[in-house]
Amino acid sequence: MKPVVGPNFNLGSPRGRGPLGILKGAVFLALVVLLAAAAPRWAVKEVTITVDGTSQTVTTLRPSVAGVLAQAAIDLEAQDRVVPAPETRVVDGMTIQIRKAFPIVLKVDGQELALWTAAMTVQEFLDEAGVALGPLDEVTPGLETPLPGPAEVQVVRVEIETFWEEERVPYQELRWAEPTMTVGTTRVIRQGREGLDRVHVQLRYEDGVLVERRELARERVADPDHRIIGVGQRRPTSTQVVQTPQGPKRYRRVLEVLATAYTPGPESTWPFTDGLTATGVVARRGVVAVDPTVIPLGSHLYIPGYGLGIAADVGAAIKGNRIDVLYEDLDDALRWGRKWVKVYILDE
């Protein structure tokens, strides 16, 4: 390297040729040479560059991170992540970390976007893309999922709406055996009236589309009054007689049925707790629930072991040759249990 010559150092000066001048010049020249040799050592720095986990070490005189990366021929895309920033001044021993961007598809708000990112997690990717999440929104895969990994991130906008609404409860049409009317004739004994329920409803929307309707609760406001049609039963007197505790009774038909027992309390009748049967008769001993297609409502009955009764109620489980006899006491109902019995349909 050429020695640096200062502006006041003149080798051609007459004074420079004297012994003292020559000595001074030699010392100064040696100092300049020493400084010139030492200066590059002060500027040289050793830097580690890590690209997606792969490291290399470079020796550089470049003053900035951007200069070091240019020296190492590392091309950066706009979405690549460099730490520290490219404009940072380089110091000896520095580590420069580069995370190369990768493609990922974002599905959100009816759009499908092909993006490049160097984000570490799904949450970071969404923040980078400016996607704000609502409290119920669902993200697939989860927010803590590391990237790269899934090729697609989907955001489903979720909204929940709840409200109360009224719902009509339809009435049934029940047929009542009317002994005062001739066989083959009918008349309306009671008009039907719909009941009313209040229903708590929850609606779930995903991306604005209704996907689920759930019933959260239901309250009975008014029970329905079933429509009752009287069906004539009067015919020539029967000659068939059965002995009862109240004396002999004429009957027109006898059936073999499976009989259970119930009480007027909520343990048997919930949600109907007004103490009335389906036909409006007060629930008391002697009331029998029947299938009206087998035993007409209003029929007077005799059941051995139970006594006289009237077919005045119905039940969801009482279908076909089944009956449910009413006891006012739960212990009595439990003692009755479940048994096969004969039911006499009386001619009265």
Side-chain angles (χ1 to χ4, degrees), residues 268-319:
S268 296
T269 62
W270 178 262
F272 303 102
T273 57
D274 57 3
L276 299 177
T277 66
T279 60
V281 173
V282 175
R284 63 181 184 276
R285 194 184 193 287
V287 168
V288 181
V290 300
D291 181 344
T293 64
V294 178
I295 299 175
L297 289 169
S299 298
H300 289 261
L301 310 172
Y302 171 63
I303 304 162
Y306 180 74
L308 297 177
I310 183 169
D313 204 359
V314 296
I318 307 305
K319 302 297 180 186

Side-chain angles (χ1 to χ4, degrees), residues 190-259:
R190 187 178 74 185
Q191 293 290 349
R193 186 188 67 182
E194 292 181 328
L196 186 66
D197 283 351
R198 288 185 71 241
V199 185
H200 196 197
V201 177
Q202 175 180 285
L203 302 181
R204 177 186 174 92
Y205 294 88
E206 293 184 0
D207 291 333
V209 178
L210 178 63
V211 296
E212 182 184 40
R213 176 187 172 95
R214 291 180 58 196
E215 181 179 309
L216 302 179
R218 179 178 290 264
E219 298 176 357
R220 177 58 54 89
V221 177
D223 291 330
D225 289 335
H226 299 311
R227 177 182 173 91
I228 298 179
I229 305 296
V231 179
Q233 301 292 307
R234 191 175 63 192
R235 61 177 70 232
T237 302
S238 171
T239 58
Q240 301 179 98
V241 175
V242 60
Q243 294 297 326
T244 76
Q246 289 74 30
K249 300 286 184 180
R250 288 189 295 269
Y251 68 92
R252 60 177 177 271
R253 192 155 59 109
V254 61
L255 298 172
E256 189 86 14
V257 298
L258 178 62

Side-chain angles (χ1 to χ4, degrees), residues 76-82 98-103 114-119 124-125 128:
L76 296 177
E77 300 295 337
Q79 295 82 4
D80 293 345
R81 182 173 299 182
V82 181
I98 300 172
R99 182 173 171 84
K100 301 293 288 183
F102 47 87
L115 303 177
W116 286 77
T117 183
E124 188 178 340
F125 168 61
E128 183 182 281

Side-chain angles (χ1 to χ4, degrees), residues 14-206:
R15 295 189 55 171
R17 297 193 186 95
L20 183 59
I22 293 173
L23 178 61
K24 288 181 179 179
V27 171
F28 185 76
L29 183 60
L31 181 60
V32 170
V33 172
L34 179 64
L35 290 174
R41 290 200 297 273
W42 296 342
V44 171
K45 305 170 189 71
E46 197 169 82
V47 177
T48 300
I49 302 175
T50 300
V51 181
D52 290 337
T54 301
S55 299
Q56 62 172 308
T57 301
V58 298
T59 301
T60 183
L61 292 172
R62 303 292 177 92
S64 68
V65 168
V68 174
L69 297 182
Q71 174 187 328
I74 297 176
D75 295 327
L76 296 177
E77 300 295 337
Q79 295 82 4
D80 293 345
R81 182 173 299 182
V82 181
V83 179
E87 64 272 15
T88 304
R89 188 171 183 82
V90 173
V91 297
D92 189 39
M94 172 183 282
T95 297
I96 301 172
Q97 295 185 339
I98 300 172
R99 182 173 171 84
K100 301 293 288 183
F102 47 87
I104 192 165
V105 174
L106 173 62
K107 292 183 177 180
V108 62
D109 298 329
Q111 302 180 75
E112 186 170 317
L113 307 172
L115 303 177
W116 286 77
T117 183
M120 301 292 291
T121 65
V122 170
Q123 175 73 77
E124 188 178 340
F125 168 61
L126 294 178
D127 292 342
E128 183 182 281
V131 177
L133 297 176
L136 300 177
D137 291 348
E138 296 179 351
V139 180
T140 305
L143 294 176
E144 301 305 317
T145 303
L147 298 177
E152 178 181 297
V153 172
Q154 182 172 15
V155 177
V156 176
R157 302 296 192 185
V158 178
E159 295 180 22
I160 299 294
E161 179 184 356
T162 60
F163 56 89
W164 286 89
E165 67 179 11
E166 293 185 343
E167 183 177 300
R168 298 289 178 180
V169 180
Y171 61 80
Q172 300 177 38
E173 183 171 281
L174 305 177
R175 303 177 74 78
W176 180 271
E178 183 52 62
T180 62
M181 296 169 53
T182 305
V183 170
T185 62
T186 62
R187 68 180 175 89
V188 177
I189 296 177
R190 187 178 74 185
Q191 293 290 349
R193 186 188 67 182
E194 292 181 328
L196 186 66
D197 283 351
R198 288 185 71 241
V199 185
H200 196 197
V201 177
Q202 175 180 285
L203 302 181
R204 177 186 174 92
Y205 294 88
E206 293 184 0

